[in-house]
Amino acid sequence: MPSTVTPQRRSREISSNDEDVESSAAAASSAAKRIRINLNGDAAPSSSALSPSNAYEPVGDEPLQEEVLRSRQTKAKHQPGSIVRVKLANFVTYTSVEFLPGPSLNMVIGPNGTGKSTLVCAICLGLGWGPQHLGRAKDVSEFVKHGEQEANIEIELAGDPQRHRRNPVIKCNIKRENNKSTFSVDGKPSNKKAVIELCKSFTIQIDNLCQFLPQDKVVEFAAMTPVELLRSTQRAVAPQEMLDMHDELKEHRKQQKEIEAKVQSDQGALENLENWQRTHADDVQRMREREVVKQRVRYLETARPFPKYREARDAHTIAKKRKKQAGDELEALKREVEPSLEAVNAKQAYQQQVETATSARRKAVHDAEKAADSIDRKLKTLHDRKGELEAEVEAEKNGGKDNRKEVARLEQNIARLKKQIEEQPPEFEISGYNERIREKQRAMDDASRRVQDLKRKQEDLGHRGRDKNQRIQQARQDLANLESQAGQQEAKLKSLSIDTFRAWEWIKQHQDEFEQQVYGPPIVECSVTDLRYVDQIETLFQRGQLLTITCQTKNDFKKLGNILHDQMHLAEINMQHMSGTLDNFPPPVNRDQLGQFGLTGWALDYISGPEPVMATLCANVRLNSTGMGDRDTSAEHFDLLQNGPIENWVTKRSSYKITRRREYGPSAMSTSVRDVRKAQLWTNQPVDMTAKRDLQENIEGWTSELVDFKREMDEAQEEIEKIRATIRDNHEEVKTLQAEKAWKQKTLADIRALPVKLSQQEERLAAAQQSIAAMRQRLQSIASKQDDLTHERAQAAIDYSLAVESLQTRHAELYEAEIALIEANSDLAYLIEKNTSVKDLLQTKQEEVNECVAQVRHYSDVAKGIFAEIRQIMTGWSEETRIFVEELPQNQTSEELEAEIESERARLDLTHEGNDRGVIQQFEAREQKIQKLRENLEGLREELTEAEERITGVRDRWEPELDRLVGMISRSFGENMKEIGCAGEVGVAKEEDFEDWSIKILVKFRESEPLTPLDSHRQSGGERAVSTIFYLMSLQSLTRSPFRVVDEINQGMDPRNERLVHRRMVGIACGSDSLSSSSSLDQGQQPLNNNNNNNNDNNNNNTSFDSVTVNGDILENNNGVAKAAAPVGGSQYFLITPKLLPSLTYARGMRVLCIASGEHMPEKADKVDFGRCVDLARGLRGATTVAVR
């Protein structure tokens, strides 16, 4: 079949030691003309005929027997839903490929990695199921070929003639970018759900391991529980109705269990409640009687306000009568004493009039006093104003004196300035001074620059000196390190990786900045304790492992990484976080057991270092599980090590590592061996004298340079001091010149400013004279104000005299009124004293009336309060309370009611006290609950009966059909096992719960043992593989699935079992049980029966030969018929395998899909003609046979 051009793969070794391989040569004749089968299964003539010259030359003159091959069309056709064609583009390893599987058994063969399982993946994804059913990649985008952006899958299914006019074609496009799949059906866009529904209509079950068993799901199928196997078996061979009935039985049984649990729970609760009720019935009766008494007490307490209200109402009526009587008596007394009181009232009115007049005159006196006080304050204000004006006059006079003195001083200054103006100014040349000053400054600038140059020279010498000092210190340290072990190791670290050496130097100086200690690389932290094993120990390490820095906390790991990478920009840095200890890395076997393997200890025993570093090495280098030996491994010890738990060990000359692939069984392993290299790092080498001598010479040279630097710095410093003294002298001279220049400039400026100063003095003189004139004007104004103030003071004195006179008059009137008031008060007091007894009598009577009014109001309020309380009680009371209160005696007093309440309470005290009401309520609530439980139990029992009837109805339909199907599977499974000399049967393990029903497979591989359940504890891996494939084959005749896929199920079988299983598979899949064995094309053999063969039954003329598959069809000669019967088998079958044993059984209808892949494949697939290759091979064999004959 066509394939794309792919990289060349490693050739697969073909086993030649199979005990069943037939090596006999068969006679054959050359083919004058051949017919080969093209990719579509049609016969087409070959483009060229094979002549003897194209093969081996015949020995004799006997011509080659003519042989014509033809294809016998099979009677089997693709069942609806089977796969007719699969076309892939850019899918996994394929660029472009097209598969044309046959309707029966399809064997897909090819070396590992050529893309056999890719066909399985394409079927799964192309029919709408997800990658989780493959057990490989998680995302569909991972199935796109490397370097491509999308992949395409096209699958053509055989259509159902009743539903489809043509075969449905499903296309799937997978995008790498968004990890999405898009589908189309017959060229029309569709979706995954619709594609899956279409597949389910053909009973395709990709998610059923009994139908679709990819390579990576074989382990999952083997781990399938018997319960899961029953469900998968039903899905594979039973109609959906049986699965629905099974699920219905599970649900009914679940409901039945829930109902039974409820019945059991409710029955127990009912019995507990009934027992409790019977136990506490007498106590509850006594509590109920106590409750009656308590209820009567509550009723009596509720009736308390009623007699109190009657008593308050009667008291109110009596108080109203007393109030009326006291009021009448008060009115009669008032009429009797009315004449005596009239004289007192008249005198009292006069006294009030006099008192009013006195108050008015007292107010008039107060007003007059205020007016006089106001005028007095005005006089004082005017007097103060007079003093202020006198002070202003004095101030103006003093100011005038100062102005006159200022005028005299200014006149003198003006005269002096005029005289100075008339004199000649001295001569002054400023440019000469400036030139001398600049000359000195230039000299100072040159000196300063020279000082700066000398300072820079000193700084350069200082830097160079410090650098030399550091080099000397480092050289001395290196010299000391050469003579110490740690120093030697750090020197080796420096030569091995300068970045790691710089990092370690920084870590040692900053250990206090970390949470816990950070350890350096193993090359400096660790040492080999036994130098006999130093070569073997060092062989275990790779360069990166020797340079790994160990951090004990994640924070330190993150911090150190940021510093070394981001700040120090170190590239070659290896770091690891290790928080565990050596206890986390136990050896695979005890040390005492190492002797039997020819080992002396573990690598961890011969190297020492800090525990975190050792734990890191155990994780990376596996020191804890690597054995050490002092001699070469013998063959016996090698076999023990291969089959034991130790995967790594090192001897004196070699290092061994075993790699196991558990997915291919316990025998799938490989061993790599490499030589032990000579140790270079953990060795005690002598001191390098050349390096020591170089360091000593460098120290001497750098020390001499330091002395020269010191001398040059001292010379520069002396020159700086001299220059600074010169700068100071020049600076002083500049200061002197600048002072002299400044004095002369000031003198010349003063002379030039004299006219301006004269003008200013004249202006100030004029201003002083104007100020004196203004002063005179102000003195005149002040004198005018003094005159006006004098007139105003005189008028105020007159007004004050008049106010004092008016005040005296008002005082006289007030005295007269006060005398009259005294007389009126005296007369009124006499009259009041004379009528005191009458007033006392009236007051007594009035108080009596007031007391009666208060009593009426009090009893009214009491009655209203009690009545409000009664109304509130009546609002919320029950009918029983109302009847009880109405039946109480109407003439019962509150004291009698209280006595009755106390009597009832005494009865309560004689009975048991407790939470009576709560106990009774609980008793009644339990009674109701008991009744409800009885009703619930009755309903649950009815539901339980209905559930049992439903289960019985469904089970009567489902169980016989299940027994029938499993019986057929068991018979087929038994026949399959019998064919290989074993025994087996399949049954249904029927448990109480339908969820626990399961398939029970019993097998027997030896005569001496009974039938035992198939599991991982009793049978070997090969026996389980045989049983698994036979079980799947037993489903073939019953299958409802249009196709079945099994990927590399034969990998765990030995050749004998594989051959027997293959023969049974061909017989079942192709519907033939009497099959001939064919030779393998891989072995280059083709046994044929010629005309001289006497082993044929009763017919020597019927020459038969084994069929050869070319592109999937059976080729036969025109003189004979293959022993295989016409295939009438079950559904389509795909068997994926990397190899086929020679001389396997084939049948007409089989198709072998050979996958060829490699770098020599042509670009176009149609250039590969496997049919012609077979023709050539058969011709060559025929030519060889004739030559031998």
PDB file of all heavy atoms in Angstrom, residues 463-479 694-696 698-703 705-706:
ATOM      1  N   HIS A 463      44.585  53.540  42.743  1.00  0.00           N
ATOM      2  CA  HIS A 463      43.806  52.432  42.176  1.00  0.00           C
ATOM      3  C   HIS A 463      44.720  51.286  41.772  1.00  0.00           C
ATOM      4  O   HIS A 463      44.430  50.112  42.043  1.00  0.00           O
ATOM      5  CB  HIS A 463      43.019  52.913  40.962  1.00  0.00           C
ATOM      6  CG  HIS A 463      41.841  53.769  41.318  1.00  0.00           C
ATOM      7  ND1 HIS A 463      40.885  53.387  42.217  1.00  0.00           N
ATOM      8  CD2 HIS A 463      41.481  55.009  40.884  1.00  0.00           C
ATOM      9  CE1 HIS A 463      39.972  54.319  42.337  1.00  0.00           C
ATOM     10  NE2 HIS A 463      40.311  55.338  41.540  1.00  0.00           N
ATOM     11  N   ARG A 464      45.805  51.647  41.115  1.00  0.00           N
ATOM     12  CA  ARG A 464      46.716  50.592  40.669  1.00  0.00           C
ATOM     13  C   ARG A 464      47.336  49.879  41.870  1.00  0.00           C
ATOM     14  O   ARG A 464      47.529  48.664  41.865  1.00  0.00           O
ATOM     15  CB  ARG A 464      47.803  51.210  39.789  1.00  0.00           C
ATOM     16  CG  ARG A 464      47.254  51.739  38.468  1.00  0.00           C
ATOM     17  CD  ARG A 464      48.276  52.607  37.749  1.00  0.00           C
ATOM     18  NE  ARG A 464      49.455  51.860  37.349  1.00  0.00           N
ATOM     19  CZ  ARG A 464      50.550  52.404  36.805  1.00  0.00           C
ATOM     20  NH1 ARG A 464      50.587  53.710  36.601  1.00  0.00           N
ATOM     21  NH2 ARG A 464      51.569  51.649  36.478  1.00  0.00           N
ATOM     22  N   GLY A 465      47.626  50.664  42.930  1.00  0.00           N
ATOM     23  CA  GLY A 465      48.190  50.046  44.133  1.00  0.00           C
ATOM     24  C   GLY A 465      47.201  49.098  44.797  1.00  0.00           C
ATOM     25  O   GLY A 465      47.562  47.993  45.224  1.00  0.00           O
ATOM     26  N   ARG A 466      45.923  49.555  44.893  1.00  0.00           N
ATOM     27  CA  ARG A 466      44.919  48.667  45.509  1.00  0.00           C
ATOM     28  C   ARG A 466      44.719  47.411  44.678  1.00  0.00           C
ATOM     29  O   ARG A 466      44.532  46.318  45.205  1.00  0.00           O
ATOM     30  CB  ARG A 466      43.598  49.426  45.676  1.00  0.00           C
ATOM     31  CG  ARG A 466      43.622  50.441  46.797  1.00  0.00           C
ATOM     32  CD  ARG A 466      42.229  50.979  47.083  1.00  0.00           C
ATOM     33  NE  ARG A 466      41.726  51.798  45.974  1.00  0.00           N
ATOM     34  CZ  ARG A 466      41.958  53.095  45.834  1.00  0.00           C
ATOM     35  NH1 ARG A 466      42.703  53.736  46.731  1.00  0.00           N
ATOM     36  NH2 ARG A 466      41.465  53.772  44.822  1.00  0.00           N
ATOM     37  N   ASP A 467      44.735  47.587  43.332  1.00  0.00           N
ATOM     38  CA  ASP A 467      44.580  46.419  42.465  1.00  0.00           C
ATOM     39  C   ASP A 467      45.740  45.444  42.673  1.00  0.00           C
ATOM     40  O   ASP A 467      45.539  44.227  42.763  1.00  0.00           O
ATOM     41  CB  ASP A 467      44.519  46.865  41.004  1.00  0.00           C
ATOM     42  CG  ASP A 467      44.391  45.687  40.071  1.00  0.00           C
ATOM     43  OD1 ASP A 467      43.372  44.978  40.163  1.00  0.00           O
ATOM     44  OD2 ASP A 467      45.307  45.472  39.249  1.00  0.00           O
ATOM     45  N   LYS A 468      46.944  46.010  42.774  1.00  0.00           N
ATOM     46  CA  LYS A 468      48.089  45.141  43.018  1.00  0.00           C
ATOM     47  C   LYS A 468      47.988  44.460  44.375  1.00  0.00           C
ATOM     48  O   LYS A 468      48.324  43.283  44.533  1.00  0.00           O
ATOM     49  CB  LYS A 468      49.395  45.959  42.942  1.00  0.00           C
ATOM     50  CG  LYS A 468      49.661  46.562  41.569  1.00  0.00           C
ATOM     51  CD  LYS A 468      49.816  45.499  40.500  1.00  0.00           C
ATOM     52  CE  LYS A 468      50.104  46.127  39.132  1.00  0.00           C
ATOM     53  NZ  LYS A 468      50.176  45.116  38.060  1.00  0.00           N
ATOM     54  N   ASN A 469      47.504  45.204  45.382  1.00  0.00           N
ATOM     55  CA  ASN A 469      47.333  44.614  46.713  1.00  0.00           C
ATOM     56  C   ASN A 469      46.356  43.441  46.666  1.00  0.00           C
ATOM     57  O   ASN A 469      46.575  42.387  47.266  1.00  0.00           O
ATOM     58  CB  ASN A 469      46.830  45.671  47.701  1.00  0.00           C
ATOM     59  CG  ASN A 469      47.971  46.240  48.534  1.00  0.00           C
ATOM     60  OD1 ASN A 469      48.925  45.518  48.834  1.00  0.00           O
ATOM     61  ND2 ASN A 469      47.897  47.504  48.885  1.00  0.00           N
ATOM     62  N   GLN A 470      45.206  43.659  45.955  1.00  0.00           N
ATOM     63  CA  GLN A 470      44.219  42.580  45.849  1.00  0.00           C
ATOM     64  C   GLN A 470      44.817  41.373  45.133  1.00  0.00           C
ATOM     65  O   GLN A 470      44.578  40.226  45.514  1.00  0.00           O
ATOM     66  CB  GLN A 470      42.983  43.080  45.096  1.00  0.00           C
ATOM     67  CG  GLN A 470      42.168  44.102  45.889  1.00  0.00           C
ATOM     68  CD  GLN A 470      40.977  44.615  45.089  1.00  0.00           C
ATOM     69  OE1 GLN A 470      40.805  44.245  43.933  1.00  0.00           O
ATOM     70  NE2 GLN A 470      40.178  45.484  45.711  1.00  0.00           N
ATOM     71  N   ARG A 471      45.575  41.653  44.078  1.00  0.00           N
ATOM     72  CA  ARG A 471      46.190  40.534  43.349  1.00  0.00           C
ATOM     73  C   ARG A 471      47.175  39.792  44.241  1.00  0.00           C
ATOM     74  O   ARG A 471      47.257  38.557  44.202  1.00  0.00           O
ATOM     75  CB  ARG A 471      46.909  41.055  42.103  1.00  0.00           C
ATOM     76  CG  ARG A 471      45.971  41.594  41.037  1.00  0.00           C
ATOM     77  CD  ARG A 471      46.731  41.917  39.767  1.00  0.00           C
ATOM     78  NE  ARG A 471      45.853  42.425  38.722  1.00  0.00           N
ATOM     79  CZ  ARG A 471      46.241  42.692  37.476  1.00  0.00           C
ATOM     80  NH1 ARG A 471      47.519  42.481  37.132  1.00  0.00           N
ATOM     81  NH2 ARG A 471      45.404  43.154  36.588  1.00  0.00           N
ATOM     82  N   ILE A 472      47.918  40.572  45.054  1.00  0.00           N
ATOM     83  CA  ILE A 472      48.880  39.930  45.956  1.00  0.00           C
ATOM     84  C   ILE A 472      48.148  39.061  46.978  1.00  0.00           C
ATOM     85  O   ILE A 472      48.522  37.911  47.234  1.00  0.00           O
ATOM     86  CB  ILE A 472      49.743  41.002  46.653  1.00  0.00           C
ATOM     87  CG1 ILE A 472      50.684  41.659  45.630  1.00  0.00           C
ATOM     88  CG2 ILE A 472      50.549  40.399  47.794  1.00  0.00           C
ATOM     89  CD1 ILE A 472      51.416  42.871  46.173  1.00  0.00           C
ATOM     90  N   GLN A 473      47.020  39.621  47.554  1.00  0.00           N
ATOM     91  CA  GLN A 473      46.257  38.852  48.540  1.00  0.00           C
ATOM     92  C   GLN A 473      45.669  37.594  47.914  1.00  0.00           C
ATOM     93  O   GLN A 473      45.701  36.515  48.499  1.00  0.00           O
ATOM     94  CB  GLN A 473      45.139  39.731  49.135  1.00  0.00           C
ATOM     95  CG  GLN A 473      45.645  40.925  49.934  1.00  0.00           C
ATOM     96  CD  GLN A 473      46.440  40.490  51.152  1.00  0.00           C
ATOM     97  OE1 GLN A 473      46.197  39.447  51.737  1.00  0.00           O
ATOM     98  NE2 GLN A 473      47.431  41.305  51.529  1.00  0.00           N
ATOM     99  N   GLN A 474      45.113  37.750  46.675  1.00  0.00           N
ATOM    100  CA  GLN A 474      44.513  36.597  46.006  1.00  0.00           C
ATOM    101  C   GLN A 474      45.574  35.558  45.659  1.00  0.00           C
ATOM    102  O   GLN A 474      45.368  34.351  45.789  1.00  0.00           O
ATOM    103  CB  GLN A 474      43.788  37.056  44.727  1.00  0.00           C
ATOM    104  CG  GLN A 474      43.060  35.938  43.998  1.00  0.00           C
ATOM    105  CD  GLN A 474      41.956  35.333  44.848  1.00  0.00           C
ATOM    106  OE1 GLN A 474      41.234  36.051  45.525  1.00  0.00           O
ATOM    107  NE2 GLN A 474      41.845  34.012  44.845  1.00  0.00           N
ATOM    108  N   ALA A 475      46.762  36.053  45.233  1.00  0.00           N
ATOM    109  CA  ALA A 475      47.836  35.120  44.894  1.00  0.00           C
ATOM    110  C   ALA A 475      48.312  34.379  46.130  1.00  0.00           C
ATOM    111  O   ALA A 475      48.588  33.170  46.082  1.00  0.00           O
ATOM    112  CB  ALA A 475      48.986  35.882  44.241  1.00  0.00           C
ATOM    113  N   ARG A 476      48.374  35.123  47.257  1.00  0.00           N
ATOM    114  CA  ARG A 476      48.777  34.450  48.493  1.00  0.00           C
ATOM    115  C   ARG A 476      47.723  33.419  48.901  1.00  0.00           C
ATOM    116  O   ARG A 476      48.055  32.334  49.377  1.00  0.00           O
ATOM    117  CB  ARG A 476      48.970  35.489  49.600  1.00  0.00           C
ATOM    118  CG  ARG A 476      50.225  36.341  49.404  1.00  0.00           C
ATOM    119  CD  ARG A 476      50.294  37.462  50.419  1.00  0.00           C
ATOM    120  NE  ARG A 476      51.520  38.250  50.255  1.00  0.00           N
ATOM    121  CZ  ARG A 476      51.751  39.405  50.870  1.00  0.00           C
ATOM    122  NH1 ARG A 476      50.846  39.911  51.704  1.00  0.00           N
ATOM    123  NH2 ARG A 476      52.893  40.056  50.655  1.00  0.00           N
ATOM    124  N   GLN A 477      46.417  33.775  48.709  1.00  0.00           N
ATOM    125  CA  GLN A 477      45.348  32.822  49.040  1.00  0.00           C
ATOM    126  C   GLN A 477      45.423  31.609  48.116  1.00  0.00           C
ATOM    127  O   GLN A 477      45.271  30.462  48.557  1.00  0.00           O
ATOM    128  CB  GLN A 477      43.971  33.507  48.891  1.00  0.00           C
ATOM    129  CG  GLN A 477      42.791  32.617  49.240  1.00  0.00           C
ATOM    130  CD  GLN A 477      42.759  32.246  50.702  1.00  0.00           C
ATOM    131  OE1 GLN A 477      43.159  33.047  51.549  1.00  0.00           O
ATOM    132  NE2 GLN A 477      42.322  31.051  51.021  1.00  0.00           N
ATOM    133  N   ASP A 478      45.652  31.877  46.809  1.00  0.00           N
ATOM    134  CA  ASP A 478      45.773  30.764  45.868  1.00  0.00           C
ATOM    135  C   ASP A 478      46.973  29.898  46.215  1.00  0.00           C
ATOM    136  O   ASP A 478      46.933  28.659  46.089  1.00  0.00           O
ATOM    137  CB  ASP A 478      45.904  31.300  44.448  1.00  0.00           C
ATOM    138  CG  ASP A 478      44.637  31.985  43.971  1.00  0.00           C
ATOM    139  OD1 ASP A 478      43.583  31.756  44.607  1.00  0.00           O
ATOM    140  OD2 ASP A 478      44.695  32.732  42.978  1.00  0.00           O
ATOM    141  N   LEU A 479      48.032  30.559  46.665  1.00  0.00           N
ATOM    142  CA  LEU A 479      49.221  29.817  47.051  1.00  0.00           C
ATOM    143  C   LEU A 479      48.941  28.911  48.240  1.00  0.00           C
ATOM    144  O   LEU A 479      49.378  27.754  48.290  1.00  0.00           O
ATOM    145  CB  LEU A 479      50.366  30.801  47.378  1.00  0.00           C
ATOM    146  CG  LEU A 479      51.773  30.195  47.544  1.00  0.00           C
ATOM    147  CD1 LEU A 479      52.222  29.479  46.290  1.00  0.00           C
ATOM    148  CD2 LEU A 479      52.775  31.291  47.925  1.00  0.00           C
ATOM    149  N   ASP A 694      54.821  30.435  39.583  1.00  0.00           N
ATOM    150  CA  ASP A 694      54.232  31.600  38.922  1.00  0.00           C
ATOM    151  C   ASP A 694      53.607  32.540  39.937  1.00  0.00           C
ATOM    152  O   ASP A 694      53.737  33.768  39.833  1.00  0.00           O
ATOM    153  CB  ASP A 694      53.174  31.133  37.913  1.00  0.00           C
ATOM    154  CG  ASP A 694      53.815  30.412  36.729  1.00  0.00           C
ATOM    155  OD1 ASP A 694      55.027  30.588  36.521  1.00  0.00           O
ATOM    156  OD2 ASP A 694      53.074  29.683  36.031  1.00  0.00           O
ATOM    157  N   LEU A 695      52.908  31.985  40.928  1.00  0.00           N
ATOM    158  CA  LEU A 695      52.286  32.827  41.949  1.00  0.00           C
ATOM    159  C   LEU A 695      53.341  33.584  42.748  1.00  0.00           C
ATOM    160  O   LEU A 695      53.179  34.783  43.054  1.00  0.00           O
ATOM    161  CB  LEU A 695      51.427  31.959  42.875  1.00  0.00           C
ATOM    162  CG  LEU A 695      50.143  31.398  42.273  1.00  0.00           C
ATOM    163  CD1 LEU A 695      49.485  30.432  43.243  1.00  0.00           C
ATOM    164  CD2 LEU A 695      49.159  32.519  41.939  1.00  0.00           C
ATOM    165  N   GLN A 696      54.426  32.925  43.127  1.00  0.00           N
ATOM    166  CA  GLN A 696      55.460  33.596  43.908  1.00  0.00           C
ATOM    167  C   GLN A 696      56.120  34.719  43.102  1.00  0.00           C
ATOM    168  O   GLN A 696      56.368  35.819  43.616  1.00  0.00           O
ATOM    169  CB  GLN A 696      56.512  32.573  44.348  1.00  0.00           C
ATOM    170  CG  GLN A 696      55.991  31.587  45.399  1.00  0.00           C
ATOM    171  CD  GLN A 696      56.981  30.482  45.697  1.00  0.00           C
ATOM    172  OE1 GLN A 696      57.928  30.253  44.913  1.00  0.00           O
ATOM    173  NE2 GLN A 696      56.763  29.784  46.800  1.00  0.00           N
ATOM    174  N   ASN A 698      54.758  36.414  40.673  1.00  0.00           N
ATOM    175  CA  ASN A 698      53.787  37.496  40.556  1.00  0.00           C
ATOM    176  C   ASN A 698      53.751  38.334  41.832  1.00  0.00           C
ATOM    177  O   ASN A 698      53.653  39.567  41.782  1.00  0.00           O
ATOM    178  CB  ASN A 698      52.396  36.933  40.262  1.00  0.00           C
ATOM    179  CG  ASN A 698      52.296  36.379  38.864  1.00  0.00           C
ATOM    180  OD1 ASN A 698      53.059  36.782  37.975  1.00  0.00           O
ATOM    181  ND2 ASN A 698      51.369  35.459  38.647  1.00  0.00           N
ATOM    182  N   ILE A 699      53.795  37.680  42.986  1.00  0.00           N
ATOM    183  CA  ILE A 699      53.759  38.426  44.260  1.00  0.00           C
ATOM    184  C   ILE A 699      54.977  39.340  44.368  1.00  0.00           C
ATOM    185  O   ILE A 699      54.863  40.524  44.750  1.00  0.00           O
ATOM    186  CB  ILE A 699      53.707  37.442  45.441  1.00  0.00           C
ATOM    187  CG1 ILE A 699      52.349  36.702  45.454  1.00  0.00           C
ATOM    188  CG2 ILE A 699      53.921  38.158  46.764  1.00  0.00           C
ATOM    189  CD1 ILE A 699      52.268  35.574  46.458  1.00  0.00           C
ATOM    190  N   GLU A 700      56.177  38.858  44.013  1.00  0.00           N
ATOM    191  CA  GLU A 700      57.380  39.694  44.093  1.00  0.00           C
ATOM    192  C   GLU A 700      57.294  40.878  43.132  1.00  0.00           C
ATOM    193  O   GLU A 700      57.619  42.020  43.494  1.00  0.00           O
ATOM    194  CB  GLU A 700      58.614  38.841  43.778  1.00  0.00           C
ATOM    195  CG  GLU A 700      58.906  37.776  44.839  1.00  0.00           C
ATOM    196  CD  GLU A 700      60.077  36.873  44.434  1.00  0.00           C
ATOM    197  OE1 GLU A 700      60.602  37.097  43.313  1.00  0.00           O
ATOM    198  OE2 GLU A 700      60.434  35.971  45.216  1.00  0.00           O
ATOM    199  N   GLY A 701      56.882  40.633  41.886  1.00  0.00           N
ATOM    200  CA  GLY A 701      56.778  41.707  40.910  1.00  0.00           C
ATOM    201  C   GLY A 701      55.779  42.768  41.338  1.00  0.00           C
ATOM    202  O   GLY A 701      56.027  43.971  41.236  1.00  0.00           O
ATOM    203  N   TRP A 702      54.583  42.317  41.832  1.00  0.00           N
ATOM    204  CA  TRP A 702      53.562  43.284  42.239  1.00  0.00           C
ATOM    205  C   TRP A 702      54.004  44.070  43.466  1.00  0.00           C
ATOM    206  O   TRP A 702      53.677  45.249  43.606  1.00  0.00           O
ATOM    207  CB  TRP A 702      52.258  42.540  42.515  1.00  0.00           C
ATOM    208  CG  TRP A 702      51.657  41.941  41.274  1.00  0.00           C
ATOM    209  CD1 TRP A 702      51.811  42.380  39.993  1.00  0.00           C
ATOM    210  CD2 TRP A 702      50.835  40.774  41.185  1.00  0.00           C
ATOM    211  NE1 TRP A 702      51.142  41.593  39.106  1.00  0.00           N
ATOM    212  CE2 TRP A 702      50.520  40.580  39.808  1.00  0.00           C
ATOM    213  CE3 TRP A 702      50.331  39.864  42.100  1.00  0.00           C
ATOM    214  CZ2 TRP A 702      49.732  39.534  39.364  1.00  0.00           C
ATOM    215  CZ3 TRP A 702      49.532  38.821  41.662  1.00  0.00           C
ATOM    216  CH2 TRP A 702      49.242  38.647  40.303  1.00  0.00           C
ATOM    217  N   THR A 703      54.781  43.455  44.366  1.00  0.00           N
ATOM    218  CA  THR A 703      55.277  44.169  45.548  1.00  0.00           C
ATOM    219  C   THR A 703      56.255  45.268  45.130  1.00  0.00           C
ATOM    220  O   THR A 703      56.228  46.386  45.662  1.00  0.00           O
ATOM    221  CB  THR A 703      55.952  43.185  46.503  1.00  0.00           C
ATOM    222  OG1 THR A 703      55.038  42.141  46.849  1.00  0.00           O
ATOM    223  CG2 THR A 703      56.401  43.885  47.775  1.00  0.00           C
ATOM    224  N   GLU A 705      56.274  46.854  42.283  1.00  0.00           N
ATOM    225  CA  GLU A 705      55.479  47.918  41.668  1.00  0.00           C
ATOM    226  C   GLU A 705      54.815  48.778  42.725  1.00  0.00           C
ATOM    227  O   GLU A 705      54.678  49.997  42.558  1.00  0.00           O
ATOM    228  CB  GLU A 705      54.428  47.306  40.733  1.00  0.00           C
ATOM    229  CG  GLU A 705      55.026  46.661  39.493  1.00  0.00           C
ATOM    230  CD  GLU A 705      53.958  46.061  38.590  1.00  0.00           C
ATOM    231  OE1 GLU A 705      52.766  46.337  38.844  1.00  0.00           O
ATOM    232  OE2 GLU A 705      54.287  45.326  37.644  1.00  0.00           O
ATOM    233  N   LEU A 706      54.381  48.179  43.832  1.00  0.00           N
ATOM    234  CA  LEU A 706      53.770  48.964  44.918  1.00  0.00           C
ATOM    235  C   LEU A 706      54.753  49.972  45.491  1.00  0.00           C
ATOM    236  O   LEU A 706      54.391  51.117  45.808  1.00  0.00           O
ATOM    237  CB  LEU A 706      53.272  48.016  46.023  1.00  0.00           C
ATOM    238  CG  LEU A 706      51.955  47.307  45.772  1.00  0.00           C
ATOM    239  CD1 LEU A 706      51.636  46.357  46.930  1.00  0.00           C
ATOM    240  CD2 LEU A 706      50.827  48.320  45.642  1.00  0.00           C
TER     241      LEU A 706
END
